[in-house]
Amino acid sequence: MTAQPSRKSSLTRRSFLGQSAAGAAAVFGGAALARGVHAAGSDVIRVGMIGCGGRCSGAAAQALDAGPDIRLVAMADVFEAKVNAAYQNLKERAPDRVIVDADHRFTGLDGYKKVIEASDVVLIACASKFHPMYAEEAIKAGKHVFVEKPHGIDPVGVRRMQAACDLAKEKGRSIVSGLQSRFDNGWRETMKRIHDGIIGDIVAIQAMFLRGPYQVMTRKPEHSELQFQFWNWYHFCWLSGDDVPQSLVHNMDRGTWALQEEMPDWAFGLGGRAASFGEGLGDMYDNQTVVYEYKSGARVYAMCRTQNGTYGNSGDIIMGTKGVCYLDQRRIEGETNWKFEGRQNNPYQEEINTLMESVRQGQPYNSGYHMAKSTMVTVLGQLAVYTGKAMRFDEVAGMDFAYRPLPDETTLTMEPPTLPDATGNYPLPKPGISSLDWIAGPRRP
């Protein structure tokens, strides 16, 4: 079951981009409309980046590879150094199509507004806390969006992302998820066979994302504590949501796909910090396991780990009543043996190609049928691990739980929501002890 774009055959490419410009004018005034009309009239798709780290830079490079009609016109990040580094790298890659002048390289937390104003297509890959807010604002402004996973780090944020997806459908705008597995040719063919019953009824799934920690960014002398946390945002749960939503979301999206979008009934989990300490590693756990149970009878055993010098694996094994699928190998063994022999594509490039082609053709593509729900599955798992409690999906999905401060209330002059102790380590949730209110923050040693 692959995503299908909604069709609006009456939209031409120029009118599609022209409507983007009209949406921008409603928010930002006539100057944006004039630029938008010129962009649409010249058959150019203007792309802007919110976030200038490795992931958004990769998406921008793939956008430039998606066709000669792409122009990178605006960039924003909290840090000027990241903007400048990404600009130089991308300018070398496509000097004639990276046309981001100094006035369109923005820093701070408000730069996203100006990127949205300047662009037809917005690429969002930054501290995950802000993904739902930025996607919502871009869709409101009539722009098309690529947004990296996770699609929220708490129930409030995930619901906000789902609302943005629903709004995109109403406005005829594309929103494409960074959960790239659904754009992989081999996995698409494998899932078709699973859904056709080749392995029978799914009994269990083993899902793994075992690796070393994300890169630790060295504290710079000029950085405040808050700036250090933004610089090292992967390692702070108020910005990233920890590793179940951050990494295991890929596996759980594939598991949800295999289970034909069935949501778990409930989950329990366990985890903690065993081997990864020091200020650069923030306040995230380094090992976590979640067990999900479904009304269909299936169970998913999902685990993630971020420890150096340990066994690594990011594969999934899907076990059914008639066979077993080794998903990372795109191979099935059982009553019927099968292996994908077709052309393997680059799913990261494919998702960007899909977005750009949807704009060219005036046929909006919407990943909203899976992206928020798969993320909510991992938010359920993360909170079950933190609390040590069994938690039901429907209850968590409706919670008002959100990591504080909310993205709309976050500033670069505020007191950090977590602080280190004398050893440089940050306070961690204690399963069975810490309340949801304490987990939400602020946390103090």
Side-chain angles (χ1 to χ4, degrees):
M1 294 177 65
T2 59
Q4 296 296 324
S6 57
R7 302 284 177 176
K8 294 208 172 202
S9 58
S10 61
L11 283 177
T12 65
R13 179 180 175 221
R14 292 190 179 188
S15 67
F16 200 46
L17 285 170
Q19 287 183 20
S20 296
V27 179
F28 297 106
L33 176 58
R35 288 194 299 273
V37 169
H38 177 76
S42 61
D43 285 335
V44 165
I45 301 175
R46 303 170 304 164
V47 174
M49 298 168 59
I50 302 177
C52 291
R55 183 63 193 99
C56 205
S57 295
Q62 287 148 2
L64 293 166
D65 288 344
D69 54 346
I70 309 299
R71 302 290 184 273
L72 182 64
V73 300
M75 309 169 73
D77 195 276
V78 172
F79 298 102
E80 183 178 9
K82 289 190 175 183
V83 175
N84 291 339
Y87 171 75
Q88 292 298 329
N89 289 336
L90 292 164
K91 186 70 172 176
E92 290 175 10
R93 184 185 186 93
D96 297 332
R97 294 188 293 122
V98 176
I99 52 174
V100 190
D101 57 41
D103 290 340
H104 287 82
R105 284 173 252 162
F106 308 108
T107 58
L109 287 177
D110 290 332
Y112 77 94
K113 298 176 183 177
K114 296 175 182 178
V115 170
I116 291 171
E117 179 182 4
S119 308
D120 303 307
V121 176
V122 180
L123 310 177
I124 302 169
C126 54
S128 304
K129 179 185 195 73
F130 299 97
H131 287 176
M133 182 176 79
Y134 294 166
E136 175 188 74
E137 291 300 314
I139 295 297
K140 282 182 177 178
K143 306 308 172 80
H144 312 282
V145 173
F146 166 80
V147 58
E148 181 53 31
K149 60 75 191 170
H151 302 304
I153 62 173
D154 47 44
V156 170
V158 176
R159 291 198 301 270
R160 190 173 188 176
M161 183 65 82
Q162 184 63 62
C165 292
D166 295 342
L167 182 62
K169 188 173 293 186
E170 291 175 18
K171 293 175 72 72
R173 292 293 167 265
S174 291
I175 183 164
V176 172
S177 167
L179 290 168
Q180 83 287 345
S181 300
R182 306 229 183 186
F183 296 88
D184 182 290
N185 286 344
W187 278 332
R188 283 172 165 172
E189 289 299 318
T190 305
M191 289 298 181
K192 285 179 183 177
R193 281 154 180 80
I194 290 173
H195 295 163
D196 286 343
I198 191 173
I199 66 169
D201 295 330
I202 294 175
V203 176
I205 300 175
Q206 176 180 294
M208 300 172 287
F209 208 115
L210 313 177
R211 57 174 176 80
Y214 284 108
Q215 181 181 4
V216 176
M217 308 302 289
T218 303
R219 184 189 291 269
K220 296 181 180 293
E222 66 271 22
H223 283 171
S224 66
E225 174 63 31
L226 184 66
Q227 289 173 320
F228 170 69
Q229 292 184 23
F230 267 99
W231 190 257
N232 227 28
W233 68 264
Y234 272 122
H235 297 282
F236 288 90
C237 70
W238 73 276
L239 290 167
S240 72
D242 212 326
D243 208 45
V244 180
Q246 195 60 234
S247 296
L248 202 57
V249 66
H250 286 297
N251 307 78
M252 293 311 301
D253 184 53
R254 293 191 290 267
T256 300
W257 189 9
L259 290 164
Q260 302 191 63
E261 316 308 326
E262 182 184 3
M263 293 295 101
D265 187 27
W266 66 285
F268 67 93
L270 56 153
R273 193 84 164 258
S276 304
F277 297 95
E279 67 168 10
L281 291 165
D283 63 354
M284 293 170 66
Y285 282 5
D286 68 0
N287 65 98
Q288 311 192 64
T289 298
V290 185
V291 178
Y292 297 94
E293 297 199 11
Y294 295 76
K295 285 186 169 65
S296 63
R299 286 184 173 88
V300 175
Y301 302 90
M303 61 203 81
C304 56
R305 179 172 61 196
T306 53
Q307 297 172 349
N308 287 320
T310 58
Y311 170 69
N313 196 319
S314 59
D316 307 296
I317 302 173
I318 304 172
M319 292 159 269
T321 54
K322 296 181 180 179
V324 177
C325 173
Y326 300 91
L327 192 57
D328 59 326
Q329 302 173 33
R330 296 144 180 91
R331 177 172 63 88
I332 291 170
E333 292 183 355
E335 293 182 10
T336 302
N337 295 325
W338 176 85
K339 182 174 175 59
F340 176 67
E341 301 289 353
R343 180 187 66 84
Q344 186 57 56
N345 66 335
N346 178 341
Y348 295 93
Q349 185 65 56
E350 186 69 23
E351 63 191 357
I352 298 295
N353 289 350
T354 297
L355 173 59
M356 296 306 171
E357 192 61 19
S358 77
V359 174
R360 293 188 187 102
Q361 299 299 323
Q363 297 173 349
Y365 190 103
N366 194 305
S367 295
Y369 76 100
H370 74 98
M371 54 191 274
K373 288 182 178 179
S374 290
T375 302
M376 191 70 84
V377 172
T378 62
V379 169
L380 163 67
Q382 189 64 68
L383 295 181
V385 170
Y386 277 169
T387 63
K389 310 293 186 183
M391 305 187 83
R392 304 194 70 82
F393 178 85
D394 289 345
E395 292 175 359
V396 170
M399 279 182 180
D400 290 331
F401 176 90
Y403 293 100
R404 294 189 287 268
L406 295 173
D408 316 67
E409 300 168 353
T410 302
T411 71
L412 292 179
T413 58
M414 69 182 193
E415 179 78 2
T418 186
L419 293 170
D421 62 19
T423 69
N425 290 290
Y426 294 81
L428 302 173
K430 297 177 181 179
I433 298 174
S434 298
S435 67
L436 284 172
D437 188 62
W438 185 90
I439 292 166
R443 303 178 187 176
R444 294 292 180 258

